[in-house]
Structure formats: structure tokens, C-alpha cells
């Protein structure tokens, strides 16, 4: 018993040293894990920044159809007043500007291997009116001059363009374009990430129209840029 008491301080020191070594090993393992995650996050930012940098007008959808319009040319005098009904084909494309997506717009979850990307709102392009295929349903007027016919065609094109813009701006059409943008961007991002050896990765795309999902609040997450900024030098 007396012998054990004599060596007890040495045993305590040994246990302390073993505990310290284990703590240091755990700390180094955690530091290496963080380093690997940060390196992976940096790789993701580099790959996608290169992929998105030239995508200022990525097409993510299109609507098309025909519009029935009725236009009037007042003429120089009442007797020259004329009107026309026409059916005008149109199309409107939707684009997404990915060149503005920065490091703060990525969220990387290493454990789930999930990348969330925040992208801008889609925008509708200028409507394209197919005047060559405009179908005239009828023209009325006592005397329709060549100039009046040109004016009627121009007015029909202008009115169809305005109406096409209104159709493109309808919430249902914008929402569909946003949903399609999510799929297009996810596919665009996944390919280079897997090619760079970072896959398989789940890619989620958040657009302003999507709002909050799965109980998450975007503004309380730490972006890759913030994590890198807090990294010990």
C-alpha cells in the first residue's frame, strides 16, 4: 500500500500526459477536418465562379402563343378611318444572370454533402413578335390607303408586343420560369463539381420567389465567404 502511495503522483502525471496527448490528437483531427471542409468549399467556389462568370443571360424558359389584336388608324380625315383585326404570333424568353452570383450566395453543408445556391430573379426578355406570320382576320374602312395599311400593321405589332410583355409578367408564368431556373442551374452546377472530383453532391437552388424552405432562414446561415474570412491565419 505504501508503495502505491509512493507512485501515485507519477500515475497522475502519466494519466494527465495521456489525456493531454489524446486531447491534442482530437484537436488536430478536428483542425484537419475543418481544413478539408474549407478546401472543399474553396474548390466549389472556384469551380462554380468559373462556370457562372460568363452566364449573364442564361436562358431558363420561354412562352409562346398568338394574340388577337384590333387596331385603328384614324386617317387624316374621318372618311379615311380604318381598322383591322389580326392574329399575331409571339414568344418571350426568360433569362437568369449568373455572373452576379458571388461567394456569399453559396451554402455548403459537408455532412449532408449539399450545396445551396442563391440566384437572382429571372427576367423576361423583350417580346419577339412574328410579323411575317401575322394573320389578318379583317380590315374595314371606306378607303384603306397603302399608308393606312402600313400604319395598321405597325400598330398591330406594337399592341401585340405590349400584350406579350403583360403575359410574360403574369405571376404564374414568372413562377414557372423560376422553377425551371432552379433545375437548369442545379444541372449546370452539378456537372463541373462532379468532374472536379467533388461529387456526388446534392445541389439546391434558391430563388427569391422560392422563399423559405424546410424551416431554414437564409440570413442566419454562414456563407462560404464568411467561413473563410474567420479562418485562423
Amino acid at each position: 500500500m505504501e508503495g502505491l502511495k509512493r507512485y501515485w503522483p507519477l500515475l497522475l502525471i502519466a494519466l494527465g500526459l495521456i489525456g493531454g496527448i489524446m486531447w491534442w490528437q482530437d484537436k488536430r483531427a478536428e483542425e484537419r477536418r475543418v481544413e478539408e471542409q474549407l478546401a472543399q468549399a474553396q474548390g466549389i467556389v472556384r469551380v462554380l465562379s468559373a462556370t457562372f462568370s460568363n452566364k449573364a443571360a442564361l436562358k431558363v424558359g420561354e412562352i409562346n402563343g398568338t394574340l388577337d389584336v384590333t387596331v385603328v388608324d384614324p386617317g387624316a380625315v374621318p372618311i379615311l378611318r380604318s381598322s383591322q383585326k389580326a392574329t399575331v404570333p409571339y414568344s418571350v424568353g426568360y433569362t437568369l444572370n449568373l455572373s452576379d452570383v458571388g461567394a456569399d450566395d453559396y451554402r455548403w453543408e459537408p455532412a449532408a454533402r449539399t450545396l445551396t445556391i442563391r440566384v437572382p430573379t429571372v427576367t423576361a426578355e423583350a417580346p419577339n413578335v412574328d410579323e411575317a406570320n401575322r394573320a389578318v382576320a379583317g380590315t374595314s374602312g371606306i378607303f384603306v390607303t397603302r399608308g393606312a395599311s402600313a400604319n395598321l400593321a405597325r400598330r398591330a405589332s406594337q399592341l401585340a408586343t405590349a400584350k406579350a410583355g403583360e403575359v410574360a409578367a403574369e405571376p404564374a408564368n414568372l413562377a414557372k420560369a423560376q422553377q425551371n431556373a432552379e433545375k437548369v442551374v442545379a444541372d449546370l452546377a452539378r456537372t463541373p463539381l462532379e468532374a472536379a472530383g467533388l461529387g456526388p453532391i446534392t445541389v439546391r437552388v434558391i430563388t427569391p420567389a422560392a422563399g423559405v424552405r424546410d424551416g431554414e432562414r437564409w440570413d442566419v446561415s454562414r456563407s462560404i465567404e464568411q467561413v473563410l474570412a474567420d479562418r485562423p491565419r
Side-chain angles (χ1 to χ4, degrees):
M1 193 69 177
E2 290 296 326
L4 288 176
K5 288 182 180 180
R6 184 184 310 168
Y7 293 108
W8 186 247
L10 294 176
L11 290 174
L12 289 178
I13 293 172
L15 289 173
L17 288 173
I18 292 172
I21 292 171
M22 293 178 64
W23 174 84
W24 181 83
Q25 288 178 333
D26 289 342
K27 184 174 183 297
R28 286 298 303 149
E30 176 63 17
E31 288 175 350
R32 284 194 295 270
R33 186 181 68 82
V34 171
E35 287 292 325
E36 290 173 358
Q37 291 178 357
L38 289 176
Q40 194 172 55
Q42 287 176 312
I44 288 172
V45 172
R46 285 195 301 269
V47 170
L48 293 186
S49 293
T51 301
F52 292 165
S53 61
N54 296 320
K55 302 292 183 182
L58 177 66
K59 191 164 185 177
V60 295
E62 182 180 275
I63 58 171
N64 55 69
T66 59
L67 293 166
D68 295 324
V69 296
T70 300
V71 291
V72 175
D73 179 62
V77 293
I79 197 173
L80 295 179
R81 185 181 185 277
S82 58
S83 63
Q84 186 178 89
K85 293 182 179 180
T87 299
V88 185
Y90 76 93
S91 64
V92 181
Y94 293 93
T95 58
L96 185 65
N97 185 357
L98 290 181
S99 63
D100 289 339
V101 176
D104 191 49
D105 294 309
Y106 300 102
R107 294 291 185 277
W108 172 237
E109 301 170 55
R113 296 195 59 75
T114 298
L115 174 68
T116 301
I117 308 173
R118 179 174 55 190
V119 299
T121 306
V122 298
T123 57
E125 298 176 334
N128 177 39
V129 173
D130 187 0
E131 297 183 22
N133 290 310
R134 177 173 63 98
V136 177
T139 302
S140 61
I142 296 175
F143 184 67
V144 182
T145 66
R146 182 176 298 178
S149 294
N151 287 338
L152 290 170
R154 185 178 66 256
R155 291 171 187 269
S157 178
Q158 292 172 342
L159 182 56
T161 298
K163 285 188 173 183
E166 293 173 0
V167 173
E170 290 178 0
N173 289 327
L174 285 173
K176 186 175 181 180
Q178 292 279 27
Q179 291 171 3
N180 195 51
E182 295 180 18
K183 183 179 184 305
V184 171
V185 174
D187 290 343
L188 184 65
R190 191 177 294 109
T191 300
L193 291 178
E194 292 180 353
L198 296 171
I201 290 176
T202 299
V203 180
R204 298 174 63 239
V205 179
I206 299 296
T207 57
V212 178
R213 293 186 174 183
D214 301 332
E216 296 177 350
R217 292 186 61 187
W218 180 268
D219 58 356
V220 300
S221 302
R222 299 182 76 217
S223 68
I224 290 175
E225 188 174 57
Q226 291 169 331
V227 172
L228 295 176
D230 292 342
R231 182 183 180 184
R233 301 296 179 182

